[in-house]
């Protein structure tokens, strides 16, 4: 399998579409399979930052969607890009960034980041990220 199941994604109406709301969602238990050696899963943290327009991603459906990568043989970079494509298609945000922070494999970590849209100066910056505490094992920080 080379793709997760984007049909699992659901959205809800944004009750404040005219307001610049910046959302950050962190999923520290992301898993996919290495295409070269699918018996060896890859683990990582997916960080989703976005400014919604008319719709917000429903969190339970997001959890199910990300979980559908468990049996997908995919490299880190395509996985991060594919997640961005699927989420943009689902909720059509003003701006979105997906960061994949993948755990150590063979002594090397991989971080990938992809963006959609433009982050304007009037969007609030997050003060501190929960992802900072979840994205790496203590030995990797």
């Amino acid at each position: 399998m080379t793709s997760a199941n984007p049909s699992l994604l659901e959205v809800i109406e944004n009750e404040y579409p005219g307001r610049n709301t910046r959302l950050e969602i962190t999923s520290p238990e992301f898993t996919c399979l290495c295409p070269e050696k699918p018996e060896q899963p890859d683990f990582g943290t997916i960080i989703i930052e976005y400014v919604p327009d008319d719709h917000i991603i429903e969190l339970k459906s997001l959890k199910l969607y990300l979980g559908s990568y468990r049996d997908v043989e995919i490299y880190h970079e395509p996985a991060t890009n594919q997640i961005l494509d699927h989420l943009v298609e689902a909720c059509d945000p003003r701006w979105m960034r997906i960061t994949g922070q993948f755990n150590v494999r063979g002594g090397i970590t991989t971080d990938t980041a992809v963006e959609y849209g433009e982050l304007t100066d009037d969007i609030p910056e997050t003060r501190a990220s929960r992802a900072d505490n979840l994205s790496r094992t203590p030995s990797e920080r």
Side-chain angles (χ1 to χ4, degrees), residues 16-116:
Y16 301 94
R19 187 175 291 167
N20 287 327
T21 304
R22 183 181 179 137
L23 299 163
E24 181 178 312
I25 302 165
T26 303
S27 179
E29 298 177 345
F30 182 79
T31 305
C32 60
L33 297 174
C34 175
E36 300 292 322
K37 297 183 178 187
E39 69 278 358
Q40 296 181 11
D42 287 324
F43 298 93
T45 297
I46 300 296
I47 303 161
I48 302 162
E49 300 168 87
Y50 74 109
V51 177
D53 196 4
D54 293 328
H55 296 97
I56 296 173
I57 301 163
E58 195 278 323
L59 294 178
K60 182 179 178 185
S61 74
L62 177 63
K63 177 181 176 175
L64 295 172
Y65 163 74
L66 292 174
S68 73
Y69 275 92
R70 181 175 306 276
D71 296 322
V72 175
E73 295 179 24
I74 191 167
Y75 291 108
H76 303 153
E77 299 82 2
T80 308
N81 277 280
Q82 192 174 90
I83 292 167
L84 177 69
D85 290 345
H86 290 164
L87 294 180
V88 166
E89 186 175 325
C91 73
D92 193 25
R94 292 188 211 162
W95 171 82
M96 182 175 277
R97 176 188 297 136
I98 308 296
T99 304
Q101 296 179 326
F102 294 89
N103 294 355
V104 174
R105 164 80 63 113
I108 297 174
T109 60
T110 303
D111 290 357
T112 61
V114 292
E115 287 190 22
Y116 166 84

